[in-house]
């Protein structure tokens, strides 16, 4: 599995539709400071479902939409499309090529697509869980994240190790199960209280 193509339109500094084709192996994107290299990393993280504005170097979610310049007007939406080669069927979907799209409008409305079919953010997150390629996984790392891991943020390191070892989904399901068991326990306590009250009467 590898990223085959990135398409950006209206995302941060990429006003016009831009396609970046990636071959198997190592691909480098080089350029001077301020040319938009980090915006490509942000776009990958964003299309995979990143929700934290700080991770996208923004103060609010609409900041990822091209905001205009002295010569160009601001636009009303942005879109990123990621094409992934799923030749080894790592993604639990029958297609050998998977296309993930995220679209955001200045009104705040969002749209998500898997192979051009409208879906939820949760569907995309579930598709990539335990593959090492989710928005907070170890495969998309920037310099500030390395600092967080090495210096003081042990929770980020644990999440990356869990993702790399393939137990992130197990931990998520376990947490959900414990939450359900907690609610059942609360309901049993209420039932016992009602039975005691009925017995008294």
């Amino acid at each position: 599995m590898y990223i085959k193509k990135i398409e950006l339109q209206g995302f941060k500094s990429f006003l016009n539709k831009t396609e970046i084709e990636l071959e198997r192996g190592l691909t480098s994107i080089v350029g001077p400071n301020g040319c938009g290299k980090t915006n490509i990393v942000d776009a990958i993280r964003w299309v995979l479902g990143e929700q934290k504005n700080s991770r996208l170097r923004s103060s609010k979610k609409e900041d990822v939409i091209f905001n205009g310049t002295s010569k160009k007007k601001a636009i009303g939406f942005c879109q990123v499309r990621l094409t992934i080669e799923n030749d080894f069927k790592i993604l639990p979907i029958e297609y050998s090529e998977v296309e993930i799209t995220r679209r955001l409008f200045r009104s705040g409305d969002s749209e998500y697509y898997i192979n051009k079919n409208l879906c939820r953010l949760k569907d995309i997150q579930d598709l990539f869980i335990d593959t090492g390629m989710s928005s907070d996984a170890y495969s998309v790392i920037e310099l500030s994240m390395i600092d967080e891991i090495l210096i003081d943020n042990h929770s980020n390191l644990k999440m990356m190790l869990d993702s790399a070892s393939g137990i992130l989904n197990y931990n998520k399901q376990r947490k959900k199960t414990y939450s359900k068991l907690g609610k059942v326990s609360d309901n049993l306590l209420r039932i016992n209280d009602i039975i005691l009250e009925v017995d008294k009467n």
Side-chain angles (χ1 to χ4, degrees), residues 9-11 64-66 74-79 103-106:
Q9 184 177 1
F11 185 85
V64 299
I65 303 172
F66 180 77
I75 58 171
F77 84 103
C78 70
Q79 174 179 290
R103 195 176 290 148
L104 175 68
F105 298 91
R106 209 168 277 284

Side-chain angles (χ1 to χ4, degrees), residues 34 38 46 80 198:
T38 311
W46 185 74
V80 175
V198 169

Side-chain angles (χ1 to χ4, degrees), residues 13-35:
S13 56
F14 293 91
L15 169 60
N16 300 317
K17 188 175 179 182
T18 305
E19 293 187 8
I20 302 168
E21 299 272 353
L22 302 170
E23 300 293 333
R24 285 188 181 275
L26 186 67
T27 301
S28 293
I29 298 173
V30 295
N33 289 342
C35 71

